[in-house]
Amino acid sequence: MYRFLLTPRWWGINVFVLLAIPFCVFMGSWQLSRFEDRMQDHRAATERIDPADRAPARPLAELLPVDKETSGEQATVTGRYGEQLLVPDREVDGRNGFYVLTLLRTDEGRALPVVRGWLPGTADPDRAPAPPTGEVTVTGSLQASETPGSNGVPVQGGLPAGQTSAISAATLVNLVPDELYDAWITLDKADSGMKAVPATAPQDTGLDLKAFQNLGYTGEWFVFAGFVVFMWFRLLRREVEFLRDARLGLVPDDIQPDDIQPDDIRPAGNTPDENHPREAEPAK
């Protein structure tokens, strides 16, 4: 009965199934690995910004350029404080306020943006404490340059003089005369009564929509693999039923399995003659 599996039609079906199932399983496994990689990145980034899990501070030069591996690491750098700016509309502990950002000029001739702390309320230069004078050595969490519109960074324009919307070399280059590092640090201990700004995880390391999309695609590919198996068994069962009905004389010889509809097959001996309807038998 199963010799039909060797026909050209079924050879094509079988080859398709044998190729489709491994492909779906491979794609599902790949999407799952992408989700696991994002989970690992999220765990590693969380550990780096957690003060209890961070490694000892290292010189700034050893941590540049900033990437997913070094963002959040403890950095130490020596220099002299220079120009000071304010970063408005920043939240800490659910309250709105502003960062106090001061440029630290190093011996290399470049300036590193240092967030010395946060104050609540509207950005006001008179409320921002002056930076320490003379040579200082600061320690804080290394952060990548911000991108407006991501990681909670607002998109603002037309700010007053002495304010910036984002902490990045691309934004600050038009505000200060110094050559800038493409990075910044936030002090672990804020200066002069300000509140320390917590470090943030680098972009694309959180459990965001992309991570859960990978998890959803994993399920879809495995469902596709199961659907292929289901359809193969359904076609097989349909073919077997057709051959069985053909042997019983229920199907004309010129009809193929694809031509059969459920209502076309009737039990033998129960098909009425349309031209000679059966007369009702007299009651006995």
Side-chain angles (χ1 to χ4, degrees):
M1 178 177 291
Y2 293 96
R3 291 180 180 176
F4 63 85
L5 293 174
L6 301 178
T7 60
R9 173 173 172 268
W10 271 94
W11 265 107
I13 294 174
N14 293 335
V15 170
F16 172 79
V17 171
L18 291 176
L19 294 177
I21 293 176
F23 177 77
C24 292
V25 172
F26 168 78
M27 292 300 297
S29 301
W30 180 75
Q31 290 289 351
L32 182 60
S33 68
R34 292 286 297 165
F35 174 75
E36 292 175 344
D37 289 343
R38 291 181 181 275
M39 285 285 293
Q40 180 61 32
D41 288 344
H42 176 69
R43 286 192 293 265
T46 302
E47 291 174 356
R48 283 195 296 272
I49 65 176
D50 187 348
D53 296 327
R54 282 184 291 187
R58 291 188 288 167
L60 176 66
E62 296 181 8
L63 300 173
L64 296 177
V66 186
D67 54 22
K68 291 182 180 181
E69 298 298 326
T70 60
S71 180
E73 293 285 353
Q74 288 282 86
T76 180
V77 60
T78 300
R80 295 176 180 271
Y81 279 123
E83 189 169 355
Q84 184 160 281
L85 302 169
L86 304 181
V87 187
D89 295 327
R90 295 303 179 100
E91 288 190 0
V92 173
D93 296 335
R95 301 175 61 193
N96 192 52
F98 60 96
Y99 294 168
V100 177
L101 174 69
T102 310
L103 298 180
L104 183 71
R105 295 187 177 92
T106 67
D107 294 337
E108 295 181 0
R110 291 191 290 173
L112 175 70
V114 177
V115 174
R116 297 171 46 236
W118 172 89
L119 290 172
T122 304
D124 184 355
D126 295 333
R127 296 176 54 203
T133 59
E135 187 175 79
V136 295
T137 298
V138 299
T139 300
S141 300
L142 184 65
Q143 301 280 262
S145 290
E146 295 181 333
T147 302
S150 64
N151 274 18
V153 180
V155 179
Q156 293 178 307
L159 293 175
Q163 295 187 18
T164 179
S165 60
I167 309 173
S168 69
T171 303
L172 297 174
V173 69
N174 297 320
L175 302 177
V176 298
D178 304 293
E179 184 181 355
L180 298 164
Y181 288 94
D182 190 18
W184 58 283
I185 66 172
T186 173
L187 298 184
D188 294 332
K189 295 181 180 180
D191 290 339
S192 304
M194 296 184 290
K195 187 176 182 63
V197 175
T200 59
Q203 297 184 24
D204 299 328
T205 58
L207 297 181
D208 53 10
L209 180 60
K210 291 182 179 179
F212 290 103
Q213 280 181 340
N214 292 132
L215 189 61
Y217 294 151
T218 299
E220 287 182 1
W221 282 112
F222 287 142
V223 168
F224 291 159
F227 180 74
V228 171
V229 175
F230 167 76
M231 289 302 299
W232 185 86
F233 276 106
R234 184 173 180 181
L235 290 174
L236 178 68
R237 179 181 176 182
R238 180 186 179 190
E239 190 85 18
V240 171
E241 290 177 349
F242 171 81
L243 294 176
R244 181 192 61 195
D245 293 341
R247 290 182 178 180
L248 296 175
L250 303 178
V251 180
D253 295 337
D254 57 344
I255 296 182
Q256 300 299 319
D258 292 337
D259 301 327
I260 299 296
Q261 300 297 325
D263 294 338
D264 293 337
I265 302 176
R266 303 177 185 274
N270 291 335
T271 304
D273 189 340
E274 296 180 356
N275 297 325
H276 301 283
R278 180 181 298 176
E279 296 180 358
E281 297 181 356
K284 296 182 180 179

